[in-house]
Amino acid sequence: MLFGIKNLTKVYGGRKVLDIPELSLEKGKVYGLLGPNGSGKTTLLEILSFLLPPTTGEIVYDSRKVDFSETFLRGLRTEVVMVEQQPILFTTSVYKNVEFGLKVRKKPKEYRKKIIHEVLDLVGMRGFAEASAHRLSSGETQRVAIARALACSPKVIMFDEPTSNVDIENQIAIEGILRDINVQKGISVILATHNRIQATKLSDSIIFLFNGKPASSIYENIFSGSVRRDGDGNTYCLIHDKVRLVVRTDKTGYVKISVNPKMIKVFPAQDIPSGDHGFVGRVIQLTDEGGDVRALVDIGIPISVLLGKEEYKQAPILTGERVALVCPPESIEVM
Amino acid sequence: MDILLDSFISAILLLKSLDAELYAIVFVSLKVASSSTFVASFIGIPTGFAIAFKEFPGKRTVITILNTLLALPTVVVGLFVYTFISRRGIFGPLDLLYTQKAIIVGQVILIIPIVTTFTIAAISQIDDRYRKTAMTLGATTLQTAVVIFREGRFGIMAAVIASFGRVIAEVGISMMLGGNAKGFTRTMTTAMALEYDKGEFILAVALGVILLTISFTVNLFFNYLQGRARV
C-alpha cells in the first residue's frame, strides 16, 4: 500500500476543509482526484506531499506511520514530489531549476548533467536548458516543473491541475508525459483535476471529493442559487437570477445544487414540454466520452448532459442547434 | 543659476586639480560609509530575514518599532552614542570619540533599521510557492531559506543601496562623533557644512556635486550587479 489514511481532517480558521474517514491508495497506479473547485483537492495533495500537516488523523506511507516532525518529513519528501497548479520556477536558468533537487540530494555533477538532459528530453524541453526560466510560457513552465520533479527520481508525483493553465498543444503533451511517467518509470501518480474527461482518460482509479469529503460519484453541474417558493407552492432554485429549476427540498435560502447529467432529457426545441422543468438552449459543445456523448448546452447557464450511445443515435443533435432540456426534480440534489 | 554653474565648474576644477585634501575627504567619506553599510548589512540582513521568515509572538510589534526607528534623527543617534563613548561614558576608556570608528558606530545604529525593514519587506513579498517548491524538492529548512534569500536578493540589494545613500549623505553623526578633524574624520558632508559656515557657498555646493556624482556611480554599480544577477 502506498498511502493509508484514517480519520484525516484539516481545519482552517474553524472551517473543516478536509474530512476523510478512510482512504487507501496502491503503489504504481495513477489516481485521479476529481472534484470541483474548493473541494479540498489541493489540501489533500499538500498533506500527502508532506508539505502540510493534517489537523487530526493518521497517515501511513509505504508501511511507515507518518510522524509530522520536520526531520521525518524531510526524509519522506525525497520520495514524494508535488507539482503545483501554477508552478513557480526559480529565478535562474531552466538547467539550474532542474538541477536543484539533485543538488540538495548531493548527486555528483556528471550524474546531475545526465539526469537533467534525460528529463528535459522526456518533457521536450532539452533545447531550453540554458533559457531563463522566467521567460517561458505557462505550458513550458509546467513542463520544466515536471522535469524538475522527475529529476528527483521520486516514487510518487502529485499533480495539481496540471493542464488548467495551458493551451491545447501543451495539454496533450503534458497528458502524454503523465502516462509515460507511470508506465515507463513506474512512478505512482496522483492527479488532482476538475476535468472529468481527463481524470477518466489518465487514471486507473478515481477518487471523488466534494466539500472535503470523499463522495461515491462525482457531482456535476454544480450551481449556486437560492431556494424559493412561488405562489402555487412550487419549490424552485433560482440560479444567477436567470434559471428556475424545480427542486424537492425543505432547505431555504442560499444552496448549492448538483444536476445529474444522465437524468437530463433532450428534445427538439419545438417539442419543449409544458411545465417548469423544460428549458430551451443552444448546444455549444459535443464530446465523445467512451462511446457516450456529452453535450454542453447553454440554457442561460452552461449545463452538461450525458447521452447514451443508443439515445444519441435515435435523436442526434448538432453543435449550434437549439434543443429543449428537461431537468426533472429527481435529477437535482440540493447540497 | 550662477551659483550652481560656478559650483559645477569648481567641482570639475577641484577634481582636475587632484587636490590631496579633497581626495582625503572623499576617501574618508567612502571608507566610513562603506564600513557602516557593511556592518549594518551583516547584522540587519540576517535579522530582517529571520523576522520575515519565522512566526513568533510580538512579530508585529518588532516590525512597528523598526519602522519607527526609520525616522531616527542623526542628532539623536549622535547624542546617544556620545553618552557612551565620551570620556565619562562606559566606553570612554576605549578613546573612540572623534574617530572614524565612532562615526561608523553611530551610522550603523542609524541604518540597521533601514536594512532590517527593507529586508523584511523584500522577503515578505516572496511568493510562498518558492518555499513549498524548495521543500517538495527535498530541501532542508536551511536550503529553503537560501532559496528565499536568493529570490529576495534584488530587494535586499535595494536595502543596502538605500542604507549606503543614507550614511554617505548624513552630517549629524559625522559632525558630533567625528568632530570634522581635517584629514582624519572630515567627510564630504561635514566639509560642506564647514565651507557653508565660512561663507564659501561655491565650494560647499561643489562638494555636494561631487557627493551626488559618487552616489550616482555607486548606484550604477549596484544596478549593474542587479542586472547581471537577473538571469
Side-chain angles (χ1 to χ4, degrees), chain A residues 46 51 70 74 77 80-82 84 86 88-92 100-101 104-105 132 134 148 152, chain B residues 127 129-141 143 147 150-151 153-154 229-231:
Chain A
E46 287 189 349
L51 293 171
E70 191 49 40
R74 204 244 148 185
R77 280 189 213 121
V80 182
V81 180
M82 178 171 168
E84 289 189 287
Q86 285 175 298
I88 199 159
L89 299 180
F90 303 128
T91 316
T92 179
F100 182 84
V104 299
R105 285 166 177 76
S132 168
H134 284 185
R148 186 171 62 179
C152 302
Chain B
D127 196 316
R129 284 178 295 166
Y130 284 116
R131 182 185 63 81
K132 280 186 187 169
T133 304
M135 280 169 71
T136 197
L137 294 170
T140 59
T141 308
Q143 287 163 334
V147 166
R150 269 180 57 83
E151 293 301 329
R153 62 192 183 274
F154 307 117
R230 204 184 286 270
V231 177

Side-chain angles (χ1 to χ4, degrees), chain A residues 8 17 23 45 60 66 69 80 88 95 109 144 146 189 210 212 231 267 270 272 274-275 318 332:
Chain A
L8 186 89
V17 294
L23 185 69
L45 284 193
V60 175
V66 179
S69 67
V80 182
I88 199 159
Y95 186 95
K109 197 177 175 182
V144 172
I146 295 173
V189 173
F210 188 77
F267 302 93
Q270 63 276 14
I272 182 166
S274 59
L318 299 169
I332 301 167

